[in-house]
Amino acid sequence: MNTPRIEINLSKIQKNSEYLVQKLKKKGISTIGVTKAVCGDPAIALAIISGGVTGLADSRIENVTRMREAGIISDITMIRTPMKGQIQLIVDSCDFSYNTEISVIEALAYNALKKGKIHNIVLMVEMGDLREGIMPNDLEEYFKRIVQIPGINIAGIGTNFACLNKTAPNQKSMSLFSKIIDRLKSKYEANIKIISGGNSASLSWVFSNNNLNQINELRLGESILLGSDPISGNPVQGLYTDAFTLISEVIESKKKPEFRKTSSAKTNSTYFKENDQVILAIGNQDTDANSLVFPNGFTFVGATSDHLVLNTSNLKVKIGAECRMKMNYNSLMKIMNSPTVEKKYL
Ligand SMILES: *Cc1c(COP(=O)(O)O)cnc(C)c1O
């Protein structure tokens, strides 16, 4: 079999999706599956859908197009505020888009009306991640202006946590978020259907709280795909953490002196340590090599664009042997985007 390749266990992804969908349903929360880490891979998207999610979401229109061309007809939400050149495509192929800028919403409206459509948007509110979002104090002003725009329906209000800054949602931020929405709803008699409370980083807050206020949706990528919590990296109980395995080939195996950055005369003359070292044929061009998880007995030394160097306690590694590795979110998303890594579905 060819290397490097990534083995993708679709049934584990489906089971993760189903487990989270069912568990959240009991809390009155619907689940959106986020496909950006796998570049909108249609087979994976279908596995997530068969777990029972109410829709998919992605941050790149190219990924959405890929899924639409593969025949996926589920609702798809664009979760990054649209770029100017992609407005028409987003109106055509996405059922919802996340927005924070009036000029972009006006452009969406113009393009929607041209097609005789109403485009659904979710307004994002900044609740502490300091990435995208309208500041909470400005939301009402935005809301008042946007409800006037023909061609646009404010379908929801959303917030996001722990993407840029590793701040988890807590009772304080979540009840503030709900309070803001309460106010809009009562003051403007607004029918805001979707209250989207965050991503995989919100799961522990949701599972450990009985009062979820207004929240009725989460958007999940990492937990469905990797079974892990984005903040701690720890496994989420009940989920498979091994749906993806990266396989690379050993192309060199030799004893090498240990690398020293500072060659002081003393260390050079007295002691020269040797290590058993192997090289795998993969590198930083394909993935975030530093964050791969190696088998027992292998430790990461370094990586360049196409070589990954490991120390090993076991020199009986044969040339051509396969090394199986687990990935975190960063290494997975780059592997999925690498055209030279074969995708093998199990
Ligand atoms: C990436 C992203 C998600 C999914 O995050 P995970 O940590 O993978 O669950 C949800 N919402 C937004 C806005 C995102 O950008």
Side-chain angles (χ1 to χ4, degrees):
M1 253 185 291
N2 290 337
T3 62
R5 66 178 186 277
I6 182 167
E7 290 180 356
I8 305 166
N9 188 318
L10 294 172
S11 104
K12 286 182 177 172
I13 295 168
Q14 185 203 321
K15 283 177 182 146
N16 280 356
S17 171
E18 192 174 336
Y19 180 87
L20 290 164
V21 166
Q22 294 302 331
K23 206 167 164 191
L24 288 169
K25 197 187 251 172
K26 291 193 190 113
K27 294 227 149 206
I29 290 183
S30 56
T31 303
I32 301 284
V34 179
T35 50
K36 68 186 181 207
V38 293
C39 305
D41 182 295
I44 297 173
L46 286 170
I48 294 173
I49 291 168
S50 57
V53 296
T54 46
L56 299 172
D58 205 290
S59 48
R60 295 186 183 224
I61 193 65
E62 294 81 1
N63 297 344
V64 175
T65 302
R66 186 179 175 197
M67 292 189 279
R68 290 297 188 220
E69 282 173 355
I72 290 174
I73 53 165
S74 310
D75 278 359
I76 301 182
T77 302
M78 172 52 55
I79 51 173
R80 182 171 70 180
T81 174
M83 286 185 267
K84 273 194 189 136
Q86 301 180 342
I87 300 275
Q88 187 63 64
L89 259 176
I90 286 169
V91 167
D92 289 344
S93 56
C94 298
D95 302 275
F96 303 85
S97 66
Y98 281 12
N99 285 273
T100 59
E101 294 291 347
I102 303 260
S103 63
V104 175
I105 295 166
E106 283 171 345
L108 288 163
Y110 176 81
N111 281 269
L113 287 175
K114 245 187 1 191
K115 292 274 175 95
K117 282 190 183 178
I118 304 275
H119 182 69
N120 290 302
I121 63 169
V122 172
L123 290 177
M124 290 302 275
V125 188
E126 166 54 52
M127 295 304 302
D129 190 40
L130 300 179
R131 199 181 68 180
E132 78 277 30
I134 297 162
M135 292 306 288
N137 285 337
D138 299 332
L139 184 65
E140 190 175 335
E141 215 38 56
Y142 274 72
F143 184 87
K144 278 197 290 188
R145 281 187 64 184
I146 296 162
V147 283
Q148 311 282 336
I149 301 176
I152 291 291
N153 172 42
I154 303 178
I157 309 270
T159 188
N160 195 43
F161 290 93
C163 266
L164 183 61
N165 293 297
K166 295 276 170 201
T167 10
N170 54 39
Q171 200 54 40
K172 196 172 155 224
S173 52
M174 295 314 279
S175 58
L176 176 61
F177 179 60
S178 283
K179 226 176 265 168
I180 295 168
I181 291 155
D182 272 337
R183 218 176 107 85
L184 280 185
K185 277 186 168 172
S186 60
K187 196 164 167 188
Y188 299 94
E189 292 175 14
N191 176 22
I192 304 166
K193 285 207 201 79
I194 302 165
I195 311 295
S196 197
N199 55 37
S200 299
S202 296
L203 283 172
S204 63
W205 179 79
V206 165
F207 290 149
S208 62
N209 266 282
N210 288 323
N211 178 14
L212 304 178
N213 300 312
Q214 304 267 348
I215 311 299
N216 63 16
E217 181 191 282
L218 287 184
R219 316 169 302 267
L220 305 179
E222 179 164 349
S223 49
I224 293 177
L225 299 167
L226 292 172
S228 52
D229 175 293
I231 296 177
S232 64
N234 293 333
V236 176
Q237 216 196 339
L239 300 180
Y240 291 99
T241 58
D242 57 351
F244 295 88
T245 309
L246 175 63
I247 294 117
S248 175
E249 189 172 316
V250 174
I251 54 169
E252 185 186 295
S253 171
K254 294 194 190 311
K255 282 192 184 299
K256 296 267 168 107
E258 193 162 284
F259 179 71
R260 290 177 201 285
K261 266 187 187 146
T262 50
S263 58
S264 83
K266 199 177 167 198
T267 48
N268 272 348
S269 56
T270 52
Y271 179 60
F272 215 66
K273 194 175 168 230
E274 272 192 331
N275 289 317
D276 295 331
Q277 178 181 292
V278 298
I279 300 177
L280 301 179
I282 196 157
N284 284 324
Q285 194 156 86
D286 308 292
T287 189
D288 184 6
N290 196 12
S291 57
L292 294 170
V293 182
F294 303 101
N296 282 340
F298 291 82
T299 52
F300 180 74
V301 175
T304 59
S305 43
D306 305 294
H307 294 78
L308 197 163
V309 178
L310 299 172
N311 272 345
T312 171
S313 48
N314 168 22
L315 224 194
K316 287 179 196 66
V317 181
K318 281 204 187 110
I319 301 305
E322 292 190 346
C323 179
R324 300 175 71 85
M325 295 160 275
K326 277 174 85 170
M327 286 151 287
N328 72 3
Y329 191 84
N330 280 339
S331 36
L332 173 69
M333 71 176 177
K334 287 181 182 148
I335 286 288
M336 290 306 294
N337 199 30
S338 173
T340 51
V341 177
E342 187 191 337
K343 318 290 182 295
K344 193 155 189 342
Y345 306 93
L346 307 180

